[in-house]
Amino acid sequence: MDLALAHETMARWQFGITTVYHFLFVPLTISLTALVAGLQTAWVRTGREKYFRATKFWGKLMLINLAMGVVTGIVQEFQFGMSWSSYSRFVGDIFGAPLAFEALIAFFFESTFIGLWIFGWDRLPKKLHLLSIWMVAIGSTLSAYFILAANSWMQHPVGYELANGRAQLTDFPKVLFQNTTLVVVFHTITSAFLTGGAFMIGISAYQLRKASRAAKADRNPVKVAAMSTSLRLGLITCLIAGLGTAVSGDALGKVMFEQQPMKMAAAEALWDTDSPAPFSIFAYGDVAKGHNTVEVTIPGLLSFLAKGDFSSPVPGINDTNAAEKAKYGDKAPDYKPNIPTTFWAFRWMIGFGMTSFVIALAGLWLTRRRFWLAPEFRRAGDEVPRFMLTKNRELGPFLNKWAWRAAIWTLLFPVIACSWGWIFTEMGRQPWAVYGLMTTADAVSPGVTIAEQWTSLVVLTLLYGILAVVEVKLMVKYAKAGPTDEEPPRGNPTLGGPPPGSEDADKPFAFAY
C-alpha cells in the first residue's frame, strides 16, 4: 500500500464526513432564523395570534438545528489540527483574520442575542425582543460570510505574499470582497433560503394534511392558520430563492470558468476544447482514455453558461490538464479531479435544488385562495387549502395524494442539493487544497499515523452518527407536535421590569421552551 496516498485518503474521508455533516445544519440555520424573525415581526406589527404560534413553532426547530450546528462545528475544528497541520501552518495568517472576525462579531451576535430571545419573551419589550432575533439572523449571515471568504481564498488566492514557505496576508479587504467571495456568498445565501423555504413547505404540508384528515370539530383554527401561513411563506421563499439560486449559480459558473477551468470542464465531462461547446445532460465514458462513449448534449449551451454567448470556445479536461502540467510542473501526478464524482455532483446539486423550485411554483398556483377561483372553492385562511387546478376544478384523489406527498418530501431536496454542491466545490478543485499554491497531498499532517487517523475517523463518524439520531428524533418530535397552545405574552414589559411588590416581581426567570 502507498502510505502517502493512504494518509491523504484518510484525511480527505475525515474532512468529507465532518464537513458535509456540519453543512447539513448551516443553510437551514441561516434561513430559518430570518424566517422566524419575519414571522415575529408580523406578530409584533399585527398582534395576530397565528403569527405568534408560527414564530414559537419554527423557533423550536430553529434552536435544535442551531445547537447541533454549533456542536458539530466545534468538533470539526479538531480535525484541522490533527489531519491538516501542514495546511494550517501554510494558511494560518490568511485564515486567522476572517475566522477571528467570525468569532468576535458573528458568533458574538448569535450567542448573545439568541439567549436574550430565548429568555426574553416575558421580560423584554416586544420590539427589543424582536430586535434580538434579527441580530441572531444578521450574526448567522455574517458568520457564513467570513467562513465563505476564507474558503473562497482557497479557491482563488488573492491579497497575499509567500514568505518562509507560508502565505502571509497583505490585503484583507481584497480577501473579503474579491469576486469569488461575493458570488459564492450570493449563491450560498440564496440556496440557504431555498432550503429553509422547502423545510417550511414540507412540515407545514404534513401538519395541514394531518388536519385535513381530522374531524372538523377537532381542528384548531389558529393552528391551521399558523400552518397555512407558514406553507404560503415557504412557497414564496422557495420560489424567490430558487430564482436567486439560478441567477447566482450562473454568475458563479462564469467566475469558475475563468478561475478554475478544470472544475467546470470536469462538471461537463468536456474532454476536449470545443467551440461552440455543448452542455452535457448525460454522459458515460472512459476516464482512463479521456473520452465519452455515450452522451446527450445541448449544442452551444455550455459556451453561453461560460462566456455569455453561444459560440465561444470552452477549454476541455485534456487541454486544461496539459496547460496546468506546463504551468505547475510535477506538483501533482495529474491535475484532473475525480471526473464521475464531479460530473454527477453537479447534476444532483442542480436537479434536487430546482425540483423544490418547481414544486413551489406549482404549489403557489394550486393553493391560491382568491384569484381565478369560483366563489364556492375559496377557503378562509384558517382552513386547510384545496389543490385547485383550474377555476372550477380540483385535483382528483390520486393527484391530490401525490401533491401532498411531493410537498412533504421537498423538505429534503435542497438539503441534498446543498450537500452535493459542497462536494462538487471541494472535489472539483482537486488536487489542490489551495488552488495553484498547495496540493492536498502536501496539506496533510506529516506526523500522524494511519492508526491514529483510523481511530479519529471512527470516533468522529460514531459521534456524528449519534448526534444525527438525536437531531432527527428531536426534529421529528417537535415537528409532529405542531404549534403549541401557548398564549401570546400579555402586555408589553418594560426594561425596568415589574414594580417592586407586584406579583410579577417574584416570577422566576424561566426558560421559554
Side-chain angles (χ1 to χ4, degrees), residues 268-478:
E268 290 300 321
L270 181 70
W271 290 98
D272 299 306
T273 301
D274 207 353
S275 174
F279 179 85
S280 176
I281 298 174
F282 172 82
Y284 177 78
D286 190 327
V287 175
K289 294 180 179 177
H291 67 81
N292 297 330
T293 51
V294 179
E295 59 183 5
V296 179
T297 61
I298 301 175
L301 183 56
L302 185 58
S303 292
F304 178 77
L305 295 175
K307 305 289 178 64
D309 62 67
F310 289 96
S311 59
S312 290
V314 177
I317 296 168
N318 295 327
D319 298 313
T320 304
N321 189 43
E324 296 210 351
K325 279 185 177 179
K327 184 176 182 179
Y328 300 113
D330 59 354
K331 282 189 176 180
D334 206 341
Y335 291 90
K336 291 183 285 189
N338 185 304
I339 305 297
T341 302
T342 309
F343 180 84
W344 288 111
F346 189 61
R347 273 143 194 80
W348 297 136
M349 174 187 70
I350 295 174
F352 279 105
M354 288 301 102
T355 299
S356 285
F357 168 78
V358 172
I359 289 174
L361 184 64
L364 279 172
W365 172 256
L366 292 172
T367 60
R368 65 200 185 280
R369 288 204 301 264
R370 295 179 183 174
F371 302 109
W372 303 302
L373 280 185
E376 62 268 29
F377 291 106
R378 294 175 186 171
R379 290 289 183 98
D382 59 357
E383 294 180 274
V384 178
R386 301 168 72 161
F387 293 136
M388 297 299 300
L389 188 59
T390 65
K391 182 179 178 181
N392 296 298
R393 184 179 177 187
E394 191 175 4
L395 289 185
F398 179 78
L399 291 178
N400 191 287
K401 179 177 72 175
W402 279 99
W404 281 114
R405 287 180 178 178
I408 294 169
W409 291 348
T410 194
L411 74 89
L412 291 175
F413 294 160
V415 175
I416 298 171
C418 287
S419 298
W420 279 115
W422 193 254
I423 290 169
F424 165 69
T425 300
E426 297 305 299
M427 291 196 68
R429 68 183 155 93
Q430 297 304 315
W432 298 109
V434 181
Y435 199 85
L437 297 179
M438 174 179 251
T439 63
T440 305
D442 292 333
V444 297
S445 300
V448 181
T449 66
I450 293 294
E452 290 170 334
Q453 284 193 305
W454 265 114
T455 303
S456 62
L457 177 63
V458 170
V459 170
L460 286 174
T461 303
L462 287 176
L463 177 62
Y464 277 25
I466 293 169
L467 290 175
V469 172
V470 173
E471 159 85 4
V472 170
K473 281 195 170 185
L474 286 173
M475 279 290 195
V476 170
K477 175 184 176 183
Y478 285 102

Side-chain angles (χ1 to χ4, degrees), residues 65-320:
N65 196 72
L66 177 65
M68 284 295 176
V70 171
V71 170
T72 55
I74 291 172
V75 173
Q76 189 191 11
E77 298 291 332
F78 289 106
Q79 65 152 332
F80 284 105
M82 179 174 179
S83 296
W84 303 99
S85 61
S86 296
Y87 163 81
S88 299
R89 278 192 293 273
F90 182 73
V91 304
D93 288 349
I94 306 292
F95 268 45
L99 294 185
F101 273 82
E102 197 263 341
L104 292 174
I105 299 176
F107 191 65
F108 170 79
F109 275 25
E110 287 180 285
S111 57
T112 302
F113 287 99
I114 196 66
L116 291 174
W117 189 73
I118 292 171
F119 293 106
W121 278 99
D122 294 317
R123 297 283 173 174
L124 292 174
K126 281 184 180 177
K127 291 184 179 178
L128 191 57
H129 184 248
L130 173 62
L131 177 64
S132 65
I133 190 64
W134 276 113
M135 297 304 285
V136 177
I138 292 171
S140 299
T141 306
L142 283 175
S143 178
Y145 189 98
F146 289 123
I147 296 294
L148 290 171
N151 183 267
S152 296
W153 187 86
M154 295 163 63
Q155 309 285 342
H156 185 237
V158 293
Y160 74 98
E161 64 179 14
L162 294 177
N164 302 319
R166 300 172 59 189
Q168 295 187 347
L169 186 63
T170 59
D171 191 342
F172 186 45
K174 200 169 184 178
V175 174
L176 288 182
F177 302 114
Q178 66 157 318
N179 61 350
T180 315
T181 301
L182 296 179
V183 294
V184 165
V185 168
F186 182 24
H187 191 57
T188 304
I189 296 300
T190 51
S191 60
F193 276 90
L194 184 68
T195 305
F199 185 73
M200 271 196 169
I201 293 171
I203 294 178
S204 301
Y206 168 79
Q207 287 292 336
L208 291 170
R209 178 67 167 156
K210 190 168 73 170
S212 72
R213 290 172 168 173
K216 195 168 184 178
D218 295 334
R219 297 176 197 165
N220 183 321
V222 179
K223 290 184 180 181
V224 172
M227 288 295 96
S228 293
T229 299
S230 299
L231 177 65
R232 203 73 182 166
L233 176 61
L235 290 168
I236 293 171
T237 301
C238 216
L239 185 71
I240 296 173
L243 287 172
T245 302
V247 171
S248 60
D250 179 64
L252 180 56
K254 286 179 169 58
V255 170
M256 282 188 182
F257 271 113
E258 177 187 336
Q259 298 173 351
Q260 297 184 22
M262 177 61 83
K263 179 187 288 186
M264 298 311 296
E268 290 300 321
L270 181 70
W271 290 98
D272 299 306
T273 301
D274 207 353
S275 174
F279 179 85
S280 176
I281 298 174
F282 172 82
Y284 177 78
D286 190 327
V287 175
K289 294 180 179 177
H291 67 81
N292 297 330
T293 51
V294 179
E295 59 183 5
V296 179
T297 61
I298 301 175
L301 183 56
L302 185 58
S303 292
F304 178 77
L305 295 175
K307 305 289 178 64
D309 62 67
F310 289 96
S311 59
S312 290
V314 177
I317 296 168
N318 295 327
D319 298 313
T320 304

Side-chain angles (χ1 to χ4, degrees), residues 43-60:
W43 171 61
V44 170
R45 286 181 62 83
T46 66
R48 298 177 70 177
E49 194 174 339
K50 67 175 184 177
Y51 294 123
F52 172 77
R53 297 285 185 96
T55 302
K56 297 288 280 188
F57 175 68
W58 296 110
K60 287 177 187 172

